Each structure stands twice: as structure tokens, then as C-alpha cells.
Amino acid sequence: MTTQADQETIIVEAFINGQNVKSLSQLAKENPTNPSEIVGYFPVTTREQAVDAIEAAAGAFKTWNQISIDERIIMMRKAIEKIRAAENEIVHLLSREHGKPLYDAHGEIYVSLMWMEFACNEAKSALQEEIKEHENGKTILSYDPIGVVAAISPWNYPIALSTIKIAPALLAGNTIVLKPSPYAPLAAAKVAEIIASEFPAGVINVVHGDADVGVELTSNPLVTKIAFTGGTATAKHIIKAASETIKDMTLELGGNDAAIFLESFDVHDERAMRRIVISNFLTAGQICMIAKRVYVHRSIYDEFVEKYIEAANRWIRIGDPFDSNTTVGPVNNLKQKNVVLGLVEDAQKRGAEVIPLGQILDQKLFDQGYYLQPTLVLGCDVHDPIVVEEQFGPTVPILPFDDEEQVIHLHNESIYGLTSSVWGKEADAISVARQLEAGTTMINTAAVQGLDVRFPFGGVKQSGIGREYGVEGIRTYTEKHVINVPKTLDLPYIPE
Ligand code: NAD
């Protein structure tokens, strides 16, 4: 097995106008498996450098938007091949800086490439100008680039949630300034650098840092579109920062996704039980669309809990992300570990029962890293913080419900509405799904297992604005420009 000790320390710089730019100060990115080990260093980009990056993107936009879509697709396809060739190296770096097991890091690259391929295949038809002759004359609808895109990504899926923005933004003729999260900046920067090597200088720029740089990116008048994935609280700051210059925005935010198990669900279906466990604990629960609260019909509740614990104890193996036996790694950072611990302790104080799940493969590693043993929380009130807040970590509450009306109400009273899932006989499940307020609802599966990049993805209510993925996820990087040529210049209802 390749060990973490075999890997070298990585240094990334800001990338502005085709050049690596030195920074006066750098931050260390620790390994969540062993926080005393430094995986790499990344810069603290100054606001002045962020302005340089935005100006470089604005300068490059003038010529980039004149390049044909065919040429853009050729460049993106070359970038995809380069990422594929470097996949192993990227996966190891991602696993070390993030803490996600290698199979999970491969999964992230797999989804990223699937989306980039889809975007290349669909860009031409999605962006094709439409000309319609009709009774009033002729209308030309064109999908024009918006300009400079500020792409801000979170730490949980740093590559997938950066490429989800880079590929369509560039294919649509925009230029970009990417800011990955300081909690997972290295692999995203590497991938952006690989993509940038196929594009003209200034088309992709990468800056690093947190809120300070983020404020520049979201308030600078030269930025015309913000593509943000992250927390709902951060999005509220972004909306304020962007309000002075009214920018186009796609916001992919937090969620508190429910999994609803109807009376018709078969608790003896071991594959389904394994799927829900994975949908709760993949990436140690740190996924926006993971199932974060589970509601089970009271008639099957006791047996469900028993089978769930069996399935969880089989699948959850907590250990070194580089060990192929490991299914769950550490939490990415201490702050997040404490958020999850706080919610579990609060539930316990309120009288909930907390059941540890899975086996710890390496106790020494577990004690040294940001590890948390996954837990199941039973006996909560429906409005306890662990139920209504986004835990974003390896713990899940399971609650009984009595009828569909009640569970639909519990689902829809949340401020969030990203994804949800309904499990049981297909017709029953679809009927409940139609009544849920969410961007995506999955039947008999949940989380990334039910994701399809060919269809739009996003949240309702405080889970977001706009959609990524699908044809919608390409057109979101365009202005829809209508040119009307009226047939008659008569003005029918206006007096002479
Ligand atoms: P976060 O909001 O703390 O940070 C996200 C990004 O915003 C980071 O790059 C951060 O540096 C930057 N940022 C922080 N302050 C900023 C400011 N004032 N202006 C501009 N940028 C700023 O989120 P996180 O902790 O990195 O990610 C976890 C959150 O992301 C969870 O709530 C999760 O549900 C959500 N998420 C949503 C989706 C989705 O598709 N809906 C996907 C993944 C994660």
C-alpha cells in the first residue's frame, strides 16, 4: 500500500494572468489524519492581488469571447485528458488534504470528469443561437457570455465543486477567478492549473484565502457573475456584497436533507439498508446532499433501527484514508469536528440515546486525527438542533412518524430544501416525493448515489438560487439576449 509518508509536500501559488504569483505570506494545510503533518502550503492572496486577478480575467474576456465554441471545446477536452492522466496523483493529494478515503477521492474525480465531458458534449447545442420566425416577425435568442465569473468553492468536494463552475463558464465564453476553500485548497488548485495550461493567459485565474479575498471577488464591479457553493450564512454576506453592483448569481448552499421510509419499505432489503448507511456516512457525512435526518414509519421503526445498526456496523470501517479497508476517514477540520460533537452532546443532554457505529481500524490514528466515530441518535424531539440544523458530519438522527401528512410537514417546515429521498413502493414514494419542497428527490436511494449530472441540481428556499449541472448548468453562465425584428411597424393600440 502507498503510505501517506511516501507523499511529498506541495506548494501552490496564486495563478494570475498565466503566471504563478508569489505571496508574502503562506498558510500550511495540515493532514486531518495527522494534524502535525503538513500536506502543503498555499498563499494568502492580498486584496490587491485579487484585483489583479479580476482585471486579468476582464482583459482576457475581450478576446476569449471571440473564440469559437469548437475551439473552446477542443481545449476543454485536452484539459480533461490531462486530468485523467494525473488522476492518481490528484486523488492522493485530495485524500491527504481532505481526509476522504482514496475510493471516495476517485469518486470525486469520476463525477468531475463525467460533468466536464457532459458539458463538452452539450455545450454546442445548449449555446446555439435560436432563430424563430413567427406571426409577429423574427426573434433571435442568443446565449451570450456574462463576463468575469467569481467562482468560490467549499472544502467538502473541492474539485467537483470547482470544475462544476470552470467547465461551463469557460465553454460559454466567460473568464474566471477561482477561489478554493482554505480548508482544502491544494488539489483544487492543481486541477485548475492543469486546466489553465490548455487555455490562454487570464482565462483562468486562481486566488486563495477566505472572507477577505471573497469580499473583493463578490463586490468588485468587474465581476459580473458569482458562482458560489458553501454555507447559507456565507451566502447572505455575498448577497450583501454583490448588491451594490447587482451581479448574476448561482448559489448552492446548505441543506438538511431528509430520508423518508414509508410503511411499504422492506426492512429486510439489505442492499437498500447499505445504500441508506452510505447515504448518511459517505465522506464522513460532509456532503451537502447527504441524508441528514431519517424519518421511519412507526410500524417498521423498531425493526428498521435494528437492521440499520447491523448494516452500519458492516459498512463503516474508520481508518487511514490510504487503507483500502477504510470506508470512513476523519472529519476535514477541527472546527467541523467540534460542530458535530456539540450537536451530539446537546442531543444527549436533551435525553437522546447515542449509539456508536462501525469499527475503528487503527485506534492510534483515530486518537491523533480529527476522527469522530459515526453515531446514530435516537429519541430526539422533531425540533431538536441535531434534527433541524445541518450537522455536516458523521452523525444521524432517526425518528418515527405516524402518517404521510405529518412527515411531509416535517420535511417542508425546514428552511432548507436541497435534496430528499423517499423509500418504499415506487408509486407510493413518487406520490410523497411530489409533495416535498426540494431541488431533487430520489426514490429508494439518496445523496450522490442518486445524482445525475445530466439534470439540473440545486436547492429551494435557503438551500440556494439557480441550478448547476444539466443544460441549465451551462446556460446559467450566459445572458439570454433577445433580438426582435417585428414584421410590421404599425403600432396597433397606440393613438395617432
Ligand atoms: P463556507 O460558506 O464556510 O465557505 C465556502 C467558501 O466561501 C470558501 O471558499 C470560503 O473561503 C468562502 N468565503 C467565506 N466567507 C466569504 C465571504 N464573506 N465572501 C465570499 N466568500 C467567502 O462553506 P464550507 O464550510 O466551505 O462548506 C460547507 C457548506 O457548503 C455546507 O453548508 C454545505 O451544505 C454547503 N455545500 C453546498 C453544496 C450545494 O451544492 N448546495 C455543495 C457542497 C457544500
Side-chain angles (χ1 to χ4, degrees), residues 340-356 375-380 384-386 395:
V340 180
L341 272 178
L343 283 168
V344 175
E345 279 167 18
D346 173 80
Q348 233 160 356
K349 277 193 204 129
R350 291 167 191 265
E353 182 188 0
V354 176
I355 301 170
T375 46
L376 175 61
V377 185
L378 302 176
C380 306
D384 280 353
I386 198 159
T395 183

Side-chain angles (χ1 to χ4, degrees), residues 54-265:
I54 294 165
E55 287 177 351
F61 178 69
K62 293 185 190 128
T63 45
W64 175 244
N65 70 15
Q66 304 300 319
I67 301 229
S68 76
I69 177 75
D70 291 306
E71 284 176 88
R72 289 182 216 143
I73 293 171
I74 289 170
M75 290 179 205
M76 193 59 76
R77 287 202 191 283
K78 284 190 183 156
I80 290 172
E81 283 323 306
K82 278 192 172 171
I83 295 172
R84 222 185 282 288
E87 175 164 351
N88 260 328
E89 187 194 332
I90 299 166
V91 158
H92 283 86
L93 176 59
L94 176 61
S95 176
R96 281 172 76 219
E97 72 166 332
H98 186 283
K100 61 177 72 181
L102 289 179
Y103 79 90
D104 194 2
H106 271 293
E108 180 168 348
I109 302 287
Y110 174 79
V111 174
S112 308
L113 293 178
M114 195 174 13
W115 163 245
M116 293 175 79
E117 289 277 7
F118 175 89
C120 286
N121 293 342
E122 294 298 319
K124 207 164 169 183
S125 63
L127 302 170
Q128 177 68 46
E129 183 174 277
E130 294 164 32
I131 303 177
K132 285 211 169 89
E133 305 273 354
H134 46 75
E135 68 276 21
N136 297 331
K138 185 164 75 172
T139 298
I140 303 165
L141 168 60
S142 64
Y143 296 95
D144 299 349
I146 304 179
V148 176
V149 175
I152 302 176
S153 53
W155 51 262
N156 65 321
Y157 270 61
I159 294 174
L161 298 173
S162 297
T163 50
I164 200 174
K165 300 169 177 49
I166 296 172
L170 299 193
L171 288 169
N174 304 279
T175 55
I176 203 162
V177 181
L178 171 74
K179 194 198 80 58
S181 164
Y183 289 109
L186 306 175
K190 279 280 165 204
V191 169
E193 212 175 284
I194 291 174
I195 301 174
S197 68
E198 289 301 329
F199 287 82
V203 171
I204 308 182
N205 306 275
V206 186
V207 296
H208 292 271
D210 206 0
D212 199 32
V213 172
V215 168
E216 187 59 51
L217 294 185
T218 51
S219 60
N220 190 301
L222 290 176
V223 171
T224 39
K225 160 110 190 170
I226 296 169
F228 171 76
T229 306
T232 298
T234 310
K236 292 179 185 177
H237 292 295
I238 289 177
I239 290 168
K240 280 190 198 134
S243 67
E244 275 302 310
T245 45
I246 314 281
K247 299 180 192 309
D248 189 308
M249 271 186 220
T250 308
L251 304 176
E252 296 287 0
L253 312 178
N256 187 18
D257 301 7
I260 298 171
F261 288 81
L262 304 177
E263 205 170 0
S264 59
F265 175 73

